[in-house]
Amino acid sequence: MVDVQCGATRFNGLRAVLFDKDGTLANVRGFLWNLGDRRSEAVNRRAPGTGQFLRQALGIDGDKVNMQGALAVASRFENQVSAATLIAAQGYGWSEALAIAQGAFAEVDEELDPKAVHTPPFPEAQRCLERLTAAGLKVGIVSADSPKFVEEFVEHYQWRSLCSVALGSTPECLKPDPQLLFKACEQLQVKPHEVVMVGDASSDVLLGRRGGSAGVIIVRRETSLQEVDFGADAYAPTLDPLVASLK
């Protein structure tokens, strides 16, 4: 058992730490803007008039991306359904609208493959994982990203020895469904109350609360989010405070 402290908050008797990926471990801001822009263009080529609406729905505003918006927080499947809904609003039947969205998203996925190359870890991420595992904690990833991209990320950055579990969302189990946390705990052979969740969005708080975790730490990298109350137990500007206060 290990105690972890973040700021004034201490989490006692932990056996594992579960991390969100995008925005927490991986720097995705530039990639997300590019992804949203390309998806919107690809959809607009197939269903003219939908591109700008999709940009807004995804959280793209000019050269900025909302890091708490759909593109950053929702799953690929959820964003695809949002795109299909906008296409259907133009008069397309649902099956056709969904096929258009799927085709557009697949085209962009191919253009930006492999995703891991475009979403490098934050500078302190690896040393954080190394310190946690050295202290005897098990580490895992639970993400809204697809399982394929989560696995690619772990493999590309050679984190297999640091991450015992790397889970993504599927249409049957979308974050923040607590089953995602339960599955991670089962594979790590720990109980939910022995785990702390570390993320950067309200969905991470929901996942931790619904799954019965020991608590939730939110990393608020964005200056505009420094005072936002996500309902977490502790906050940090980066992963460094968590590493530095490891007991």
Side-chain angles (χ1 to χ4, degrees):
M1 297 291 188
V2 178
D3 292 350
V4 172
Q5 188 159 337
C6 183
T9 305
R10 177 175 291 188
F11 303 90
N12 301 311
L14 298 180
R15 294 182 63 198
V17 180
L18 292 176
F19 288 88
D20 165 61
K21 180 172 72 72
D22 292 348
T24 303
L25 293 173
N27 186 349
V28 296
R29 174 177 283 281
F31 172 80
L32 288 178
W33 187 92
N34 195 17
L35 178 68
D37 185 64
R38 291 191 184 209
R39 280 179 176 176
S40 299
E41 288 294 335
V43 167
N44 198 66
R45 286 196 298 271
R46 294 165 169 79
T50 58
Q52 186 54 42
F53 295 111
L54 182 55
R55 281 185 176 84
Q56 294 171 0
L58 294 176
I60 299 293
D61 182 12
D63 61 351
K64 298 181 175 61
V65 57
N66 181 359
M67 293 304 292
Q68 296 299 311
L71 194 60
V73 177
S75 69
R76 182 184 189 281
F77 175 76
E78 289 169 318
N79 279 308
Q80 193 168 263
V81 170
S82 295
T85 301
L86 290 172
I87 296 166
Q90 299 292 321
Y92 294 83
W94 178 249
S95 294
E96 185 179 9
L98 190 57
I100 290 172
Q102 290 171 337
F105 277 42
E107 175 189 315
V108 176
D109 284 346
E110 185 174 346
E111 292 173 353
L112 296 177
D113 184 56
K115 176 183 176 180
V117 173
H118 307 286
T119 58
F122 284 105
E124 82 281 8
Q126 181 161 328
R127 64 174 176 261
C128 174
L129 301 190
E130 290 173 344
R131 287 285 299 275
L132 293 172
T133 55
L137 287 164
K138 298 179 180 180
V139 172
I141 295 175
V142 285
S143 174
D145 206 354
S146 67
K148 172 181 181 289
F149 292 137
V150 177
E151 285 291 335
E152 284 183 356
F153 178 81
V154 172
E155 290 295 334
H156 183 78
Y157 293 104
Q158 300 179 357
W159 279 9
R160 185 59 62 190
S161 63
L162 297 175
C163 294
S164 302
V165 168
L167 301 179
S169 293
T170 65
E172 297 75 30
C173 186
L174 295 170
K175 192 178 178 181
D177 187 329
Q179 291 302 320
L180 195 62
L181 187 144
F182 298 153
K183 184 177 179 181
C185 288
E186 181 180 359
Q187 293 187 22
L188 291 172
Q189 297 184 319
V190 299
K191 304 294 184 184
H193 69 269
E194 299 172 324
V195 172
V196 70
M197 181 73 209
V198 182
D200 71 323
S202 57
S203 58
D204 298 303
V205 177
L206 288 174
L207 179 63
R209 297 285 186 252
R210 292 173 180 175
S213 72
V216 182
I217 299 170
I218 287 292
V219 180
R220 297 186 290 198
R221 297 181 185 276
E222 301 293 315
T223 303
S224 61
L225 299 177
Q226 291 303 307
E227 302 302 323
V228 176
D229 185 357
F230 288 87
D233 299 289
Y235 298 90
T238 70
L239 293 170
D240 274 332
L242 174 63
V243 177
S245 58
L246 192 62
K247 305 295 184 183

